[in-house]
Amino acid sequence: MTDQLQLGLADRKRGQEANLAAAVAAHRRYREAAEIVLDELVASGQPFTAEDIRRGVPTGIEPHSPNVLPSLIGNWAARRLIVPCGEYRSRRRSRRASRNRVWVANPAASAA
């Protein structure tokens, strides 16, 4: 029998996939740019945050939705390419000092 947590996680995954699919339309370059930055950060082996990814995306490339970056990070985490290694309070006003994760490349993924 499926429990509520499994249903919720399945819904979240479907939402992330739909958001990321919408981010690859020909006129939308944010996902591609963010993935390039994310790949470089993972390759560095150093801890990073969503803010590091945002800073790395070239000026003028904007997401179609504020959920593209969280969906991208969630996708990489679900694939076990990155793992959380800490938390921090956001300084972005729109995030209202929310807790956010610090990420690092999954050592097990790089060894595989």
Side-chain angles (χ1 to χ4, degrees):
M1 180 167 190
T2 305
D3 66 9
Q4 288 296 90
L5 178 60
Q6 289 173 320
L7 292 172
L9 291 173
D11 286 346
R12 180 175 71 180
K13 184 176 185 216
R14 277 192 300 277
Q16 287 175 339
E17 289 171 353
N19 195 2
L20 291 175
V24 296
H27 62 287
R28 296 182 176 147
R29 301 182 351 222
Y30 185 84
R31 179 183 179 181
E32 178 185 6
E35 285 200 282
I36 289 169
V37 174
L38 183 52
D39 195 42
E40 291 169 356
L41 290 167
V42 168
S44 79
Q46 298 299 310
F48 63 90
T49 67
E51 295 307 315
D52 296 321
I53 300 168
R54 280 187 185 88
R55 278 192 296 275
V57 173
T59 303
I61 299 178
E62 298 295 329
H64 77 283
S65 160
N67 293 323
V68 174
L69 186 54
S71 293
L72 184 60
I73 292 171
N75 181 277
W76 281 51
R79 292 171 31 215
R80 306 285 192 258
L81 300 173
I82 58 175
V83 293
C85 65
E87 290 185 346
Y88 72 102
R89 293 271 180 196
S90 176
R91 292 178 169 238
R92 292 176 62 226
R93 185 177 182 127
S94 63
R95 299 291 296 153
R96 297 175 193 75
S98 63
R99 280 193 335 232
N100 293 281
R101 288 187 172 158
V102 178
W103 299 93
V104 68
N106 182 353
S110 61

